[in-house]
Amino acid sequence: MLACDYEHVRPDILILGKALSGGTLPVSAVLADDEIMLTIKPGEHGSTYGGNPLACAVGIASLQVLKDEKMTENAIAMGELFRDELKKVNCSFIETIRGKGLLNAIVIKHKNSEAAWDLCLQLKENGLLAKPTHGDKIRFAPPLIITKEQILESVAIIEKSLKTLA
């Protein structure tokens, strides 16, 4: 379920937030073994969203849905499909395709320094939202419930939109 799982690493402390409640309520969590957690005394830490029983219950329910609906497995499979399909797109402007699970990015190589931004605007016009970042990168972060058909549709939109950079 976590990015550190890809690296087979078990962090001493792990902080979770944002999507922990499935977008229902603000909630975050700190995960660590007792050996670490019991060294923190009352008043030595702060939490913006800590101590809310309703948010905690929603977070636990959200994690159960992730497990029951096999969203981790779907993210792995759909992410691989997305990257594999993008590799088939014949476009010299895609310098790199990278990602893990459903968090993916392409690096745009173009003489126009605004090409990634321009491409994101074109993607939006064609029905796909993506985020430009660091000037030449475009981040794709679809929902965990995305289907094969939606992945293929998204790649088709990307391919169509890339033609506007020529």
Side-chain angles (χ1 to χ4, degrees), residues 119-163:
L119 181 56
C120 283
L121 293 176
Q122 189 61 49
L123 288 167
K124 178 183 70 85
E125 291 302 314
N126 291 332
L128 182 66
L129 296 177
K131 183 182 183 326
T133 183
H134 303 290
D136 62 345
K137 294 159 194 72
I138 299 176
R139 186 181 322 156
F140 299 94
L144 298 175
I145 59 170
I146 195 164
T147 64
K148 178 180 180 180
E149 293 75 22
Q150 292 167 324
I151 289 285
L152 297 176
E153 179 183 1
S154 297
V155 173
I157 291 171
I158 293 167
E159 186 171 21
K160 174 183 175 183
S161 300
L162 279 162
K163 292 176 183 170

mmCIF file of all heavy atoms in Angstrom, residues 119-163:
data_model
loop_
_atom_site.group_PDB
_atom_site.id
_atom_site.type_symbol
_atom_site.label_atom_id
_atom_site.label_comp_id
_atom_site.label_asym_id
_atom_site.label_seq_id
_atom_site.Cartn_x
_atom_site.Cartn_y
_atom_site.Cartn_z
ATOM 1 N N LEU A 119 0.824 21.482 -22.950
ATOM 2 C CA LEU A 119 0.264 20.147 -23.134
ATOM 3 C C LEU A 119 -0.818 19.865 -22.092
ATOM 4 O O LEU A 119 -1.867 19.297 -22.423
ATOM 5 C CB LEU A 119 1.363 19.083 -23.074
ATOM 6 C CG LEU A 119 0.909 17.641 -23.272
ATOM 7 C CD1 LEU A 119 0.151 17.456 -24.583
ATOM 8 C CD2 LEU A 119 2.102 16.704 -23.204
ATOM 9 N N CYS A 120 -0.606 20.284 -20.875
ATOM 10 C CA CYS A 120 -1.631 20.096 -19.833
ATOM 11 C C CYS A 120 -2.918 20.841 -20.181
ATOM 12 O O CYS A 120 -4.021 20.331 -19.940
ATOM 13 C CB CYS A 120 -1.103 20.519 -18.466
ATOM 14 S SG CYS A 120 0.010 19.311 -17.740
ATOM 15 N N LEU A 121 -2.783 22.026 -20.739
ATOM 16 C CA LEU A 121 -3.973 22.769 -21.161
ATOM 17 C C LEU A 121 -4.701 22.026 -22.275
ATOM 18 O O LEU A 121 -5.934 21.946 -22.285
ATOM 19 C CB LEU A 121 -3.592 24.180 -21.611
ATOM 20 C CG LEU A 121 -3.068 25.103 -20.522
ATOM 21 C CD1 LEU A 121 -2.637 26.448 -21.113
ATOM 22 C CD2 LEU A 121 -4.088 25.305 -19.416
ATOM 23 N N GLN A 122 -3.936 21.459 -23.209
ATOM 24 C CA GLN A 122 -4.542 20.691 -24.299
ATOM 25 C C GLN A 122 -5.177 19.401 -23.778
ATOM 26 O O GLN A 122 -6.251 19.010 -24.217
ATOM 27 C CB GLN A 122 -3.502 20.375 -25.374
ATOM 28 C CG GLN A 122 -4.086 19.782 -26.622
ATOM 29 C CD GLN A 122 -5.079 20.717 -27.299
ATOM 30 O OE1 GLN A 122 -4.805 21.892 -27.507
ATOM 31 N NE2 GLN A 122 -6.256 20.211 -27.624
ATOM 32 N N LEU A 123 -4.500 18.749 -22.838
ATOM 33 C CA LEU A 123 -5.074 17.552 -22.214
ATOM 34 C C LEU A 123 -6.423 17.881 -21.597
ATOM 35 O O LEU A 123 -7.400 17.131 -21.750
ATOM 36 C CB LEU A 123 -4.130 16.983 -21.151
ATOM 37 C CG LEU A 123 -2.865 16.300 -21.649
ATOM 38 C CD1 LEU A 123 -1.888 16.084 -20.489
ATOM 39 C CD2 LEU A 123 -3.193 14.973 -22.321
ATOM 40 N N LYS A 124 -6.491 19.013 -20.893
ATOM 41 C CA LYS A 124 -7.751 19.434 -20.266
ATOM 42 C C LYS A 124 -8.837 19.627 -21.323
ATOM 43 O O LYS A 124 -9.971 19.171 -21.155
ATOM 44 C CB LYS A 124 -7.546 20.722 -19.477
ATOM 45 C CG LYS A 124 -8.827 21.259 -18.827
ATOM 46 C CD LYS A 124 -8.596 22.576 -18.117
ATOM 47 C CE LYS A 124 -8.341 23.709 -19.050
ATOM 48 N NZ LYS A 124 -9.490 24.384 -19.607
ATOM 49 N N GLU A 125 -8.486 20.279 -22.412
ATOM 50 C CA GLU A 125 -9.456 20.494 -23.490
ATOM 51 C C GLU A 125 -9.943 19.176 -24.074
ATOM 52 O O GLU A 125 -11.074 19.081 -24.533
ATOM 53 C CB GLU A 125 -8.851 21.370 -24.592
ATOM 54 C CG GLU A 125 -8.609 22.802 -24.175
ATOM 55 C CD GLU A 125 -9.870 23.506 -23.700
ATOM 56 O OE1 GLU A 125 -10.914 23.397 -24.381
ATOM 57 O OE2 GLU A 125 -9.836 24.153 -22.631
ATOM 58 N N ASN A 126 -9.090 18.172 -24.044
ATOM 59 C CA ASN A 126 -9.442 16.859 -24.602
ATOM 60 C C ASN A 126 -10.032 15.908 -23.555
ATOM 61 O O ASN A 126 -10.302 14.749 -23.862
ATOM 62 C CB ASN A 126 -8.217 16.228 -25.261
ATOM 63 C CG ASN A 126 -7.812 16.975 -26.518
ATOM 64 O OD1 ASN A 126 -8.647 17.583 -27.179
ATOM 65 N ND2 ASN A 126 -6.540 16.952 -26.849
ATOM 66 N N GLY A 127 -10.185 16.380 -22.311
ATOM 67 C CA GLY A 127 -10.896 15.592 -21.308
ATOM 68 C C GLY A 127 -10.052 14.869 -20.276
ATOM 69 O O GLY A 127 -10.540 13.967 -19.606
ATOM 70 N N LEU A 128 -8.789 15.272 -20.112
ATOM 71 C CA LEU A 128 -7.918 14.604 -19.145
ATOM 72 C C LEU A 128 -7.180 15.654 -18.318
ATOM 73 O O LEU A 128 -6.518 16.532 -18.880
ATOM 74 C CB LEU A 128 -6.905 13.707 -19.871
ATOM 75 C CG LEU A 128 -5.962 12.896 -18.992
ATOM 76 C CD1 LEU A 128 -6.731 11.845 -18.198
ATOM 77 C CD2 LEU A 128 -4.893 12.229 -19.850
ATOM 78 N N LEU A 129 -7.281 15.558 -17.013
ATOM 79 C CA LEU A 129 -6.585 16.491 -16.134
ATOM 80 C C LEU A 129 -5.249 15.903 -15.702
ATOM 81 O O LEU A 129 -5.174 14.740 -15.301
ATOM 82 C CB LEU A 129 -7.426 16.809 -14.896
ATOM 83 C CG LEU A 129 -8.739 17.534 -15.147
ATOM 84 C CD1 LEU A 129 -9.496 17.724 -13.833
ATOM 85 C CD2 LEU A 129 -8.514 18.867 -15.829
ATOM 86 N N ALA A 130 -4.202 16.714 -15.786
ATOM 87 C CA ALA A 130 -2.864 16.325 -15.360
ATOM 88 C C ALA A 130 -2.182 17.567 -14.820
ATOM 89 O O ALA A 130 -2.584 18.694 -15.124
ATOM 90 C CB ALA A 130 -2.080 15.731 -16.524
ATOM 91 N N LYS A 131 -1.129 17.370 -14.047
ATOM 92 C CA LYS A 131 -0.457 18.496 -13.395
ATOM 93 C C LYS A 131 0.966 18.655 -13.907
ATOM 94 O O LYS A 131 1.764 17.741 -13.802
ATOM 95 C CB LYS A 131 -0.421 18.272 -11.890
ATOM 96 C CG LYS A 131 0.207 19.449 -11.164
ATOM 97 C CD LYS A 131 0.279 19.204 -9.695
ATOM 98 C CE LYS A 131 0.817 20.372 -8.922
ATOM 99 N NZ LYS A 131 1.805 21.183 -9.531
ATOM 100 N N PRO A 132 1.260 19.852 -14.440
ATOM 101 C CA PRO A 132 2.654 20.115 -14.792
ATOM 102 C C PRO A 132 3.449 20.386 -13.515
ATOM 103 O O PRO A 132 2.928 20.948 -12.551
ATOM 104 C CB PRO A 132 2.568 21.377 -15.659
ATOM 105 C CG PRO A 132 1.338 22.071 -15.180
ATOM 106 C CD PRO A 132 0.396 20.989 -14.727
ATOM 107 N N THR A 133 4.678 19.967 -13.492
ATOM 108 C CA THR A 133 5.511 20.185 -12.317
ATOM 109 C C THR A 133 6.965 20.333 -12.728
ATOM 110 O O THR A 133 7.419 19.677 -13.665
ATOM 111 C CB THR A 133 5.309 19.049 -11.278
ATOM 112 O OG1 THR A 133 6.077 19.325 -10.124
ATOM 113 C CG2 THR A 133 5.675 17.704 -11.832
ATOM 114 N N HIS A 134 7.665 21.199 -12.067
ATOM 115 C CA HIS A 134 9.091 21.437 -12.316
ATOM 116 C C HIS A 134 9.379 21.793 -13.770
ATOM 117 O O HIS A 134 10.425 21.437 -14.307
ATOM 118 C CB HIS A 134 9.945 20.252 -11.865
ATOM 119 C CG HIS A 134 9.761 19.910 -10.415
ATOM 120 N ND1 HIS A 134 10.211 20.716 -9.400
ATOM 121 C CD2 HIS A 134 9.135 18.864 -9.823
ATOM 122 C CE1 HIS A 134 9.891 20.182 -8.241
ATOM 123 N NE2 HIS A 134 9.232 19.063 -8.467
ATOM 124 N N GLY A 135 8.450 22.445 -14.444
ATOM 125 C CA GLY A 135 8.680 22.949 -15.785
ATOM 126 C C GLY A 135 8.496 21.948 -16.904
ATOM 127 O O GLY A 135 7.721 22.185 -17.817
ATOM 128 N N ASP A 136 9.186 20.816 -16.856
ATOM 129 C CA ASP A 136 9.171 19.895 -17.998
ATOM 130 C C ASP A 136 8.500 18.553 -17.705
ATOM 131 O O ASP A 136 8.530 17.653 -18.535
ATOM 132 C CB ASP A 136 10.590 19.657 -18.507
ATOM 133 C CG ASP A 136 11.497 18.996 -17.470
ATOM 134 O OD1 ASP A 136 11.128 18.975 -16.272
ATOM 135 O OD2 ASP A 136 12.577 18.527 -17.852
ATOM 136 N N LYS A 137 7.891 18.414 -16.555
ATOM 137 C CA LYS A 137 7.279 17.141 -16.173
ATOM 138 C C LYS A 137 5.767 17.283 -16.080
ATOM 139 O O LYS A 137 5.258 18.333 -15.709
ATOM 140 C CB LYS A 137 7.835 16.661 -14.832
ATOM 141 C CG LYS A 137 9.304 16.320 -14.910
ATOM 142 C CD LYS A 137 9.958 16.332 -13.552
ATOM 143 C CE LYS A 137 11.455 16.334 -13.676
ATOM 144 N NZ LYS A 137 12.000 17.602 -14.135
ATOM 145 N N ILE A 138 5.082 16.200 -16.399
ATOM 146 C CA ILE A 138 3.628 16.155 -16.246
ATOM 147 C C ILE A 138 3.299 14.944 -15.394
ATOM 148 O O ILE A 138 3.704 13.827 -15.697
ATOM 149 C CB ILE A 138 2.912 16.070 -17.604
ATOM 150 C CG1 ILE A 138 3.240 17.313 -18.439
ATOM 151 C CG2 ILE A 138 1.402 15.940 -17.398
ATOM 152 C CD1 ILE A 138 2.660 17.287 -19.831
ATOM 153 N N ARG A 139 2.569 15.195 -14.325
ATOM 154 C CA ARG A 139 2.224 14.162 -13.364
ATOM 155 C C ARG A 139 0.798 13.673 -13.636
ATOM 156 O O ARG A 139 -0.117 14.468 -13.818
ATOM 157 C CB ARG A 139 2.303 14.739 -11.954
ATOM 158 C CG ARG A 139 2.099 13.719 -10.869
ATOM 159 C CD ARG A 139 2.147 14.319 -9.489
ATOM 160 N NE ARG A 139 3.125 15.367 -9.341
ATOM 161 C CZ ARG A 139 3.067 16.325 -8.422
ATOM 162 N NH1 ARG A 139 2.064 16.363 -7.570
ATOM 163 N NH2 ARG A 139 4.002 17.240 -8.351
ATOM 164 N N PHE A 140 0.645 12.360 -13.635
ATOM 165 C CA PHE A 140 -0.661 11.728 -13.796
ATOM 166 C C PHE A 140 -0.955 10.936 -12.527
ATOM 167 O O PHE A 140 -0.167 10.084 -12.133
ATOM 168 C CB PHE A 140 -0.658 10.778 -14.999
ATOM 169 C CG PHE A 140 -0.367 11.466 -16.299
ATOM 170 C CD1 PHE A 140 0.931 11.515 -16.796
ATOM 171 C CD2 PHE A 140 -1.379 12.081 -17.022
ATOM 172 C CE1 PHE A 140 1.208 12.156 -17.992
ATOM 173 C CE2 PHE A 140 -1.103 12.725 -18.220
ATOM 174 C CZ PHE A 140 0.195 12.762 -18.708
ATOM 175 N N ALA A 141 -2.086 11.225 -11.895
ATOM 176 C CA ALA A 141 -2.453 10.551 -10.651
ATOM 177 C C ALA A 141 -3.944 10.219 -10.680
ATOM 178 O O ALA A 141 -4.744 10.856 -10.004
ATOM 179 C CB ALA A 141 -2.111 11.436 -9.458
ATOM 180 N N PRO A 142 -4.317 9.209 -11.455
ATOM 181 C CA PRO A 142 -5.741 8.848 -11.543
ATOM 182 C C PRO A 142 -6.235 8.181 -10.263
ATOM 183 O O PRO A 142 -5.445 7.756 -9.426
ATOM 184 C CB PRO A 142 -5.769 7.873 -12.728
ATOM 185 C CG PRO A 142 -4.412 7.263 -12.731
ATOM 186 C CD PRO A 142 -3.471 8.344 -12.267
ATOM 187 N N PRO A 143 -7.544 8.045 -10.133
ATOM 188 C CA PRO A 143 -8.100 7.394 -8.941
ATOM 189 C C PRO A 143 -7.751 5.913 -8.913
ATOM 190 O O PRO A 143 -7.538 5.281 -9.952
ATOM 191 C CB PRO A 143 -9.603 7.602 -9.083
ATOM 192 C CG PRO A 143 -9.825 7.842 -10.536
ATOM 193 C CD PRO A 143 -8.585 8.504 -11.055
ATOM 194 N N LEU A 144 -7.711 5.360 -7.723
ATOM 195 C CA LEU A 144 -7.361 3.952 -7.536
ATOM 196 C C LEU A 144 -8.352 2.988 -8.172
ATOM 197 O O LEU A 144 -8.034 1.823 -8.377
ATOM 198 C CB LEU A 144 -7.241 3.635 -6.042
ATOM 199 C CG LEU A 144 -6.154 4.397 -5.283
ATOM 200 C CD1 LEU A 144 -6.227 4.067 -3.800
ATOM 201 C CD2 LEU A 144 -4.782 4.093 -5.846
ATOM 202 N N ILE A 145 -9.537 3.462 -8.513
ATOM 203 C CA ILE A 145 -10.565 2.602 -9.095
ATOM 204 C C ILE A 145 -10.570 2.658 -10.621
ATOM 205 O O ILE A 145 -11.455 2.096 -11.257
ATOM 206 C CB ILE A 145 -11.963 2.965 -8.553
ATOM 207 C CG1 ILE A 145 -12.288 4.419 -8.862
ATOM 208 C CG2 ILE A 145 -12.063 2.660 -7.070
ATOM 209 C CD1 ILE A 145 -13.726 4.815 -8.575
ATOM 210 N N ILE A 146 -9.566 3.284 -11.217
ATOM 211 C CA ILE A 146 -9.534 3.419 -12.671
ATOM 212 C C ILE A 146 -9.531 2.035 -13.330
ATOM 213 O O ILE A 146 -8.972 1.075 -12.794
ATOM 214 C CB ILE A 146 -8.332 4.268 -13.128
ATOM 215 C CG1 ILE A 146 -8.515 4.704 -14.581
ATOM 216 C CG2 ILE A 146 -7.016 3.540 -12.896
ATOM 217 C CD1 ILE A 146 -7.598 5.831 -15.015
ATOM 218 N N THR A 147 -10.181 1.954 -14.484
ATOM 219 C CA THR A 147 -10.311 0.689 -15.207
ATOM 220 C C THR A 147 -9.359 0.652 -16.399
ATOM 221 O O THR A 147 -8.815 1.682 -16.808
ATOM 222 C CB THR A 147 -11.748 0.504 -15.724
ATOM 223 O OG1 THR A 147 -12.011 1.548 -16.693
ATOM 224 C CG2 THR A 147 -12.764 0.556 -14.595
ATOM 225 N N LYS A 148 -9.211 -0.530 -16.975
ATOM 226 C CA LYS A 148 -8.393 -0.695 -18.175
ATOM 227 C C LYS A 148 -8.906 0.201 -19.297
ATOM 228 O O LYS A 148 -8.109 0.854 -19.989
ATOM 229 C CB LYS A 148 -8.402 -2.162 -18.621
ATOM 230 C CG LYS A 148 -7.622 -2.417 -19.884
ATOM 231 C CD LYS A 148 -7.656 -3.875 -20.292
ATOM 232 C CE LYS A 148 -6.854 -4.083 -21.579
ATOM 233 N NZ LYS A 148 -6.862 -5.483 -21.999
ATOM 234 N N GLU A 149 -10.204 0.243 -19.491
ATOM 235 C CA GLU A 149 -10.794 1.060 -20.549
ATOM 236 C C GLU A 149 -10.458 2.534 -20.342
ATOM 237 O O GLU A 149 -10.150 3.250 -21.297
ATOM 238 C CB GLU A 149 -12.313 0.862 -20.605
ATOM 239 C CG GLU A 149 -12.741 -0.522 -21.041
ATOM 240 C CD GLU A 149 -12.562 -1.605 -19.963
ATOM 241 O OE1 GLU A 149 -12.507 -1.275 -18.746
ATOM 242 O OE2 GLU A 149 -12.446 -2.791 -20.346
ATOM 243 N N GLN A 150 -10.511 2.993 -19.106
ATOM 244 C CA GLN A 150 -10.204 4.389 -18.812
ATOM 245 C C GLN A 150 -8.717 4.684 -19.015
ATOM 246 O O GLN A 150 -8.358 5.765 -19.470
ATOM 247 C CB GLN A 150 -10.649 4.738 -17.392
ATOM 248 C CG GLN A 150 -12.160 4.735 -17.254
ATOM 249 C CD GLN A 150 -12.609 4.772 -15.800
ATOM 250 O OE1 GLN A 150 -11.991 4.182 -14.914
ATOM 251 N NE2 GLN A 150 -13.720 5.463 -15.561
ATOM 252 N N ILE A 151 -7.857 3.725 -18.685
ATOM 253 C CA ILE A 151 -6.419 3.896 -18.940
ATOM 254 C C ILE A 151 -6.176 4.047 -20.437
ATOM 255 O O ILE A 151 -5.464 4.954 -20.885
ATOM 256 C CB ILE A 151 -5.604 2.710 -18.375
ATOM 257 C CG1 ILE A 151 -5.577 2.740 -16.853
ATOM 258 C CG2 ILE A 151 -4.187 2.669 -18.961
ATOM 259 C CD1 ILE A 151 -4.669 3.777 -16.225
ATOM 260 N N LEU A 152 -6.764 3.163 -21.223
ATOM 261 C CA LEU A 152 -6.582 3.213 -22.679
ATOM 262 C C LEU A 152 -7.126 4.519 -23.251
ATOM 263 O O LEU A 152 -6.514 5.120 -24.142
ATOM 264 C CB LEU A 152 -7.230 1.997 -23.339
ATOM 265 C CG LEU A 152 -6.632 0.646 -22.946
ATOM 266 C CD1 LEU A 152 -7.410 -0.493 -23.582
ATOM 267 C CD2 LEU A 152 -5.148 0.568 -23.271
ATOM 268 N N GLU A 153 -8.261 4.980 -22.737
ATOM 269 C CA GLU A 153 -8.832 6.256 -23.172
ATOM 270 C C GLU A 153 -7.888 7.406 -22.808
ATOM 271 O O GLU A 153 -7.668 8.323 -23.606
ATOM 272 C CB GLU A 153 -10.203 6.467 -22.533
ATOM 273 C CG GLU A 153 -10.863 7.771 -22.912
ATOM 274 C CD GLU A 153 -12.197 7.990 -22.208
ATOM 275 O OE1 GLU A 153 -12.630 7.143 -21.405
ATOM 276 O OE2 GLU A 153 -12.803 9.048 -22.463
ATOM 277 N N SER A 154 -7.312 7.358 -21.627
ATOM 278 C CA SER A 154 -6.390 8.407 -21.186
ATOM 279 C C SER A 154 -5.149 8.468 -22.073
ATOM 280 O O SER A 154 -4.707 9.550 -22.467
ATOM 281 C CB SER A 154 -5.967 8.169 -19.730
ATOM 282 O OG SER A 154 -7.079 8.235 -18.877
ATOM 283 N N VAL A 155 -4.601 7.309 -22.398
ATOM 284 C CA VAL A 155 -3.413 7.271 -23.259
ATOM 285 C C VAL A 155 -3.762 7.807 -24.648
ATOM 286 O O VAL A 155 -2.967 8.537 -25.257
ATOM 287 C CB VAL A 155 -2.807 5.854 -23.319
ATOM 288 C CG1 VAL A 155 -1.693 5.779 -24.349
ATOM 289 C CG2 VAL A 155 -2.276 5.457 -21.937
ATOM 290 N N ALA A 156 -4.938 7.488 -25.153
ATOM 291 C CA ALA A 156 -5.369 8.012 -26.452
ATOM 292 C C ALA A 156 -5.467 9.540 -26.410
ATOM 293 O O ALA A 156 -5.077 10.223 -27.368
ATOM 294 C CB ALA A 156 -6.707 7.391 -26.858
ATOM 295 N N ILE A 157 -5.960 10.077 -25.305
ATOM 296 C CA ILE A 157 -6.045 11.539 -25.155
ATOM 297 C C ILE A 157 -4.645 12.145 -25.107
ATOM 298 O O ILE A 157 -4.388 13.188 -25.707
ATOM 299 C CB ILE A 157 -6.862 11.913 -23.898
ATOM 300 C CG1 ILE A 157 -8.336 11.558 -24.108
ATOM 301 C CG2 ILE A 157 -6.704 13.392 -23.557
ATOM 302 C CD1 ILE A 157 -9.206 11.673 -22.855
ATOM 303 N N ILE A 158 -3.735 11.495 -24.401
ATOM 304 C CA ILE A 158 -2.354 11.989 -24.332
ATOM 305 C C ILE A 158 -1.727 11.987 -25.722
ATOM 306 O O ILE A 158 -1.119 12.965 -26.145
ATOM 307 C CB ILE A 158 -1.521 11.136 -23.341
ATOM 308 C CG1 ILE A 158 -2.035 11.339 -21.925
ATOM 309 C CG2 ILE A 158 -0.026 11.492 -23.441
ATOM 310 C CD1 ILE A 158 -1.507 10.316 -20.916
ATOM 311 N N GLU A 159 -1.931 10.900 -26.451
ATOM 312 C CA GLU A 159 -1.357 10.800 -27.801
ATOM 313 C C GLU A 159 -1.929 11.889 -28.710
ATOM 314 O O GLU A 159 -1.182 12.556 -29.445
ATOM 315 C CB GLU A 159 -1.646 9.415 -28.384
ATOM 316 C CG GLU A 159 -0.978 9.179 -29.711
ATOM 317 C CD GLU A 159 -1.081 7.738 -30.168
ATOM 318 O OE1 GLU A 159 -1.973 6.996 -29.695
ATOM 319 O OE2 GLU A 159 -0.242 7.348 -31.009
ATOM 320 N N LYS A 160 -3.222 12.092 -28.657
ATOM 321 C CA LYS A 160 -3.872 13.129 -29.462
ATOM 322 C C LYS A 160 -3.353 14.515 -29.082
ATOM 323 O O LYS A 160 -3.040 15.343 -29.943
ATOM 324 C CB LYS A 160 -5.386 13.065 -29.242
ATOM 325 C CG LYS A 160 -6.174 14.169 -29.903
ATOM 326 C CD LYS A 160 -7.654 14.056 -29.569
ATOM 327 C CE LYS A 160 -8.444 15.228 -30.118
ATOM 328 N NZ LYS A 160 -9.864 15.160 -29.735
ATOM 329 N N SER A 161 -3.215 14.750 -27.794
ATOM 330 C CA SER A 161 -2.802 16.060 -27.297
ATOM 331 C C SER A 161 -1.337 16.357 -27.641
ATOM 332 O O SER A 161 -0.974 17.514 -27.889
ATOM 333 C CB SER A 161 -3.015 16.152 -25.797
ATOM 334 O OG SER A 161 -4.378 15.961 -25.488
ATOM 335 N N LEU A 162 -0.499 15.332 -27.636
ATOM 336 C CA LEU A 162 0.927 15.518 -27.953
ATOM 337 C C LEU A 162 1.113 16.080 -29.356
ATOM 338 O O LEU A 162 2.089 16.792 -29.627
ATOM 339 C CB LEU A 162 1.678 14.200 -27.818
ATOM 340 C CG LEU A 162 2.073 13.812 -26.406
ATOM 341 C CD1 LEU A 162 2.413 12.319 -26.338
ATOM 342 C CD2 LEU A 162 3.235 14.654 -25.900
ATOM 343 N N LYS A 163 0.204 15.792 -30.261
ATOM 344 C CA LYS A 163 0.308 16.264 -31.647
ATOM 345 C C LYS A 163 0.278 17.779 -31.736
ATOM 346 O O LYS A 163 0.774 18.356 -32.703
ATOM 347 C CB LYS A 163 -0.782 15.638 -32.497
ATOM 348 C CG LYS A 163 -0.584 14.146 -32.672
ATOM 349 C CD LYS A 163 -1.712 13.488 -33.443
ATOM 350 C CE LYS A 163 -1.434 11.980 -33.497
ATOM 351 N NZ LYS A 163 -2.557 11.228 -33.997
#
